[in-house]
């Protein structure tokens, strides 16, 4: 207890604790003494406490130990306070966030929250503040003290929230000038979604259900923890930095995986506006309603380190905030805005033991962005659609702005969960999702799209759809190792679709055409390629450079919601001259970068973690690792989104496979295997900064210590928060 006495002294003097009385500081120190953190051989924290609130305290403390910079940055983003650290470049990101996030509103919601949730969030804030108090050398950029209500600003753990669909340039132009702006088409981006597969006992060698957890996010987006309490919490998995719940993972009886959904539940309303009675109003039906105005005060860091305050006037209708102008109308944006229910659902589902309990939690209708793949120890498997689905008139096309003056276009409630796309215990023995439509979740024609409103999906299929169905259809049985192998299956079905067109284009050239000679060797290499990825493949390097060139050519500035479907249709239909021109262009690019077009894929497709910054600088001169799998664009389930960066010629990955796990569930508890990109600690000096990098690059998953005896055997350090870490002998 001597170490905790020192922690108490530090706490009383720490800026994070301000002028708190000694009794309050003593309370937090006593709380720390009730929490034990065990760090395993990979540095992963296993937190144990008597209460859920104390366990969340330890969870927040451990995440801050692993990477406080990412914890703070996530809350600067979610609170709309990035400009306080980063200046003008972050101002409009903050404005966008503050259209929905308001401190006074969140304080009111927190005050009215259920006592159990308030206790959790108090534990969360205590854990982060105790970390700052006991680590005086850590200097926050802005947030020197966390308050419980702040957690409500970041209540859903997926990559990119609904708010981020608002275009910043259009928002700025509207607010500064009251005008529309031409919407600039963004270049094609690496798909950030995920894969989830659940295998029923009938298709499992062991007779136990299996689940693949395979999120595709930006690297180092989440920590990995186990959190256990005497109140029934015992969960392992990936936690988005700073959040008080595990987002994707498993507990003693169930496992779950989220995949970004093509559901359309974010709507734009084109408002008819006019100046009436000295103010702005909008028409709704036969009536004119006043437009609500609100001034937002934002603090902005200056180059000399000082802070100035900017005031921005924003507008809102009953549909939502105005985010831009278009065609003489003001566009309001409607999304889920219920952070208390969202945070309740995010935490409570980690304690659900079976599908019935999971669905009871989902009755809050507060998951807006993610499909779910679920399995439990009883053998149940399921595909579930997001629960937040507003009821709308399907005569309107909600893929674009709808007429805000027509009351029939308004949301009229929420779709009952029983009316959502759902697949439970199908005869096929599997369910999956790869960010595609749910209609083939358990095999072709699992569900009829015509039985649901059009807004239930807007993404359609992608190249991973065919790959997943090819792997899962039939009667093959899976072990945990077999499901891992399926997750890293090297087939690239995208090229099965588009490469034959290129070969036909070449074969159709006249005998005197000079391209017969100049392209002969590249075509020969592609012709004999097996369309599978691998570190040593030269054909893969050429094919991907060609495919990327052709994709850009056929899509141009178009970015339809079902972009993958459209891109493949256009590439397959591309004229022969276009196919060959894309190959010629790709060869030229490769010669400029690599000195030739015959280069092994692994020599240019690299994983590198050389500093702890959120946006790191890549350097060809520094160590990096070869990665065989490419972008999910080409149909690989294992995804590695890479490109070249200024000053470098190799392609470096920043997104794709992040936390990957396979879980087998049974009456005696789960058996799991996992790997995470790089490592769990953000400090380059830590032994756990990049200790999983080679395993990640090779697709090699390690056994997960989950049961207490397994955790004890794997523990390398054990301590109470605020105490020195004590090495454990084995």
């Amino acid at each position: 207890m001597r170490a905790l006495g020192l922690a108490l002294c530090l706490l009383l003097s720490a800026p994070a604790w301000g002028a708190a009385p000694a009794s309050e500081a003593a309370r937090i120190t006593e709380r720390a003494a009730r929490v034990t953190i065990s760090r395993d051989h990979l540095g992963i924290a296993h937190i144990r406490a008597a209460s859920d609130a104390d366990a969340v305290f330890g969870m927040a403390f451990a995440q801050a130990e692993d990477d406080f910079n990412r914890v703070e940055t996530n809350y600067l983003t979610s609170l709309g306070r990035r400009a306080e650290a980063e200046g003008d470049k972050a101002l409009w990101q903050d404005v966008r966030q503050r259209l929905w996030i308001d401190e006074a509103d969140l304080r009111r919601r927190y005050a009215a929250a259920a006592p159990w949730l308030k206790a959790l969030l108090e534990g969360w804030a205590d854990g982060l503040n105790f970390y700052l108090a006991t680590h005086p050398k850590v200097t926050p950029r802005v947030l020197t003290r966390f308050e419980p209500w702040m957690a409500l600003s970041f209540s859903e753990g997926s990559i990119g929230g609904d708010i981020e669909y608002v275009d910043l340039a259009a928002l700025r132009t509207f607010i500064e000038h009251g005008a529309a702006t031409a919407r600039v088409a963004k270049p094609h981006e690496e798909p950030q979604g995920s894969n989830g597969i659940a295998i029923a006992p009938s298709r499992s060698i062991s007779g136990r259900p299996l689940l693949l957890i395979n999120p595709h996010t930006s690297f180092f987006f989440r920590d990995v923890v186990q959190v256990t309490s005497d109140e029934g919490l015992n969960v392992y998995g990936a936690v988005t930095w700073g959040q008080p719940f595990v987002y994707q993972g498993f507990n003693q009886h169930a496992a779950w995986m989220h995949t970004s959904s093509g559901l359309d539940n974010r709507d734009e309303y084109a408002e008819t506006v006019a100046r009436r009675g000295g103010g702005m109003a909008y028409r709704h039906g036969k009536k004119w309603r006043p437009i609500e105005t609100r001034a937002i005060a934002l603090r902005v860091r200056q180059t000399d380190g000082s802070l100035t305050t900017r005031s921005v006037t924003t507008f809102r209708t009953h549909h939502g905030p105005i985010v831009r102008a278009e065609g003489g109308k003001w566009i309001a944006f409607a999304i889920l805005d219920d952070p208390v229910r969202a945070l309740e659902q995010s935490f409570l589902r980690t304690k659900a033991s079976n599908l019935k309990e999971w669905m009871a939690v989902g009755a809050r209708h507060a998951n807006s962005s993610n499909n779910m793949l679920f399995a439990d120890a009883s053998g149940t498997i399921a595909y579930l659609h997001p629960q937040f689905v507003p009821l709308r008139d399907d005569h309107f096309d909600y893929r674009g702005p709808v007429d805000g003056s027509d009351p029939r276009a308004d949301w009229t409630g929420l779709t009952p969960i029983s009316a959502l796309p759902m697949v439970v215990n199908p005869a096929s023995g599997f369910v999956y999702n790869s960010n595609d439509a749910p209609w083939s979740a358990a095999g072709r024609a699992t569900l009829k799209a015509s039985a649901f409103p059009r807004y239930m999906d807007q993404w359609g299929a992608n190249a991973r759809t065919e790959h997943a169905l090819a792997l899962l259809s039939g009667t093959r049985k899976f072990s945990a190792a077999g499901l891992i192998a399926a997750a890293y299956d090297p087939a690239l079905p995208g090229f099965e679709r588009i490469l034959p067109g290129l070969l036909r284009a070449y074969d159709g050239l006249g005998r005197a055409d000079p391209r017969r000679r100049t392209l002969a060797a590249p075509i020969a290499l592609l012709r004999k390629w097996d369309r599978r990825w691998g570190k040593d493949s030269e054909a893969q390097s050429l094919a991907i450079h060609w495919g990327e060139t052709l994709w850009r050519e056929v899509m141009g500035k178009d970015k339809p919601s079902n972009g993958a479907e459209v891109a493949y249709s256009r590439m397959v239909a591309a004229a022969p001259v276009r196919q060959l021109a894309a190959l010629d262009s790709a060869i030229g690019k490769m010669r400029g970068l690599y000195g030739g077009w015959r280069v092994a894929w692994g020599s240019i497709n690299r994983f590198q973690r050389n500093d702890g910054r959120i946006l790191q600088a890549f350097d060809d001169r520094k160590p990096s690792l070869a990665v065989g799998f490419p972008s999910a664009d080409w149909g690989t389930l294992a995804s590695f989104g890479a490109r070249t960066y200024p000053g470098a010629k190799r392609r470096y990955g920043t997104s794709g496979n992040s936390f990957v796990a396979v879980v087998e569930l049974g009456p005696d508890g789960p058996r799991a295997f996992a790997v995470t990109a790089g490592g769990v600690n953000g400090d380059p000096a830590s032994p756990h900064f990049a200790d999983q990098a080679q395993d990640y690059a090779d697709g090699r998953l390690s056994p997960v210590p989950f049961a207490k005896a397994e955790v004890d055997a794997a523990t390398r350090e054990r301590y109470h928060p605020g105490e020195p870490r004590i090495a454990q002998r084995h």
Side-chain angles (χ1 to χ4, degrees), residues 4 27 29-36 48-51 54 720-721:
L4 286 174
R27 178 185 69 81
T29 305
E30 290 173 4
R31 166 169 262 175
R34 299 196 297 267
V35 177
T36 300
R48 184 173 289 273
S51 71
D54 284 352
H720 300 294

Side-chain angles (χ1 to χ4, degrees), residues 64 149 171 223 264 283 323 356 367 386 453 481-482 550 558 624 667-668:
W149 62 267
L171 174 65
D223 200 0
D264 178 8
R283 187 163 64 86
V323 298
K356 181 179 179 181
N367 165 33
L550 186 61
D558 293 347
S624 62
D668 51 350

Side-chain angles (χ1 to χ4, degrees), residues 257-340:
M257 170 61 202
H258 302 287
T259 62
S260 297
S261 178
L263 166 69
D264 178 8
N265 58 2
R266 300 169 294 271
D267 290 329
E268 294 183 322
Y269 289 87
E271 310 285 22
T272 301
V273 299
R275 188 170 294 279
R276 299 175 71 89
M280 296 302 295
Y282 68 104
R283 187 163 64 86
H284 190 250
K286 296 180 180 180
K287 296 182 179 180
W288 287 86
R289 297 184 177 187
I291 291 179
E292 177 188 340
T293 61
R294 182 164 66 94
I296 299 174
L298 303 105
R299 298 204 299 171
V300 183
R301 183 75 58 184
Q302 304 301 295
T303 55
D304 63 1
S306 64
L307 287 168
T308 61
T309 300
R310 289 274 305 274
S311 182
V312 174
T313 299
T314 64
F315 305 90
R316 173 186 288 269
T317 72
H318 76 285
H319 294 123
I322 304 298
V323 298
R324 71 176 193 278
E326 181 179 300
K329 308 282 187 178
W330 287 11
I331 308 299
F333 193 55
I335 60 173
L336 169 67
D337 185 16
D338 195 345
V340 171

Side-chain angles (χ1 to χ4, degrees), residues 208-210 250-255 375-377 663-667 669-671:
R208 297 181 173 193
L210 298 161
F250 57 95
N251 59 33
Q252 183 75 15
H253 305 288
D376 68 33
V663 187
E664 183 179 73
L665 297 159
R671 186 172 70 102

Side-chain angles (χ1 to χ4, degrees), residues 156-326:
E156 209 277 346
S158 65
I159 183 164
D162 293 338
I163 293 173
E164 293 187 12
Y165 281 84
V166 173
D167 183 87
L168 290 180
L171 174 65
R172 178 176 183 176
T173 299
F174 171 75
I175 289 178
E176 289 189 333
H177 307 293
T181 184
R183 302 186 77 178
V184 178
K186 298 178 181 178
H188 174 66
E189 298 173 344
E190 168 67 17
Q192 292 183 329
S194 303
N195 304 307
I197 298 172
I199 301 295
S202 63
R203 297 284 303 278
S204 166
I205 291 173
S206 68
R208 297 181 173 193
L210 298 161
L211 185 80
L212 167 68
I213 300 171
N214 182 202
H216 295 170
T217 69
S218 51
F219 294 162
F220 327 124
F221 183 69
R222 296 188 176 109
D223 200 0
V224 180
V225 297
Q226 182 182 11
V227 193
T228 306
S229 80
D230 294 339
E231 294 181 340
L233 181 66
N234 187 7
V235 58
Y236 183 104
V239 51
T240 308
W241 291 106
Q243 292 193 312
F245 56 88
V246 166
Y247 185 62
Q248 290 157 331
F250 57 95
N251 59 33
Q252 183 75 15
H253 305 288
W256 60 95
M257 170 61 202
H258 302 287
T259 62
S260 297
S261 178
L263 166 69
D264 178 8
N265 58 2
R266 300 169 294 271
D267 290 329
E268 294 183 322
Y269 289 87
E271 310 285 22
T272 301
V273 299
R275 188 170 294 279
R276 299 175 71 89
M280 296 302 295
Y282 68 104
R283 187 163 64 86
H284 190 250
K286 296 180 180 180
K287 296 182 179 180
W288 287 86
R289 297 184 177 187
I291 291 179
E292 177 188 340
T293 61
R294 182 164 66 94
I296 299 174
L298 303 105
R299 298 204 299 171
V300 183
R301 183 75 58 184
Q302 304 301 295
T303 55
D304 63 1
S306 64
L307 287 168
T308 61
T309 300
R310 289 274 305 274
S311 182
V312 174
T313 299
T314 64
F315 305 90
R316 173 186 288 269
T317 72
H318 76 285
H319 294 123
I322 304 298
V323 298
R324 71 176 193 278
E326 181 179 300

Side-chain angles (χ1 to χ4, degrees), residues 613-629:
R613 291 182 294 179
I614 293 175
L615 296 176
Q616 71 170 337
F618 295 104
D619 191 333
D620 287 340
R621 298 166 298 180
K622 293 183 178 180
S624 62
L625 299 173
V627 177
F629 43 99

Side-chain angles (χ1 to χ4, degrees), residues 581-652:
L583 179 60
D584 191 58
S585 177
I587 290 169
K589 179 179 180 180
M590 294 179 73
R591 282 174 172 153
L593 285 171
Y594 316 122
W597 55 268
R598 295 201 67 145
V599 291
W601 178 245
S603 70
I604 59 174
N605 193 56
R606 311 291 290 187
F607 177 91
Q608 185 176 79
R609 193 178 195 190
N610 54 37
D611 62 54
R613 291 182 294 179
I614 293 175
L615 296 176
Q616 71 170 337
F618 295 104
D619 191 333
D620 287 340
R621 298 166 298 180
K622 293 183 178 180
S624 62
L625 299 173
V627 177
F629 43 99
S631 165
D633 277 336
W634 311 114
T636 172
L637 299 186
S639 179
F640 189 75
R643 64 177 179 86
T644 56
Y645 288 83
K649 293 187 175 183
R650 287 171 155 178
R651 304 161 62 105
Y652 292 99

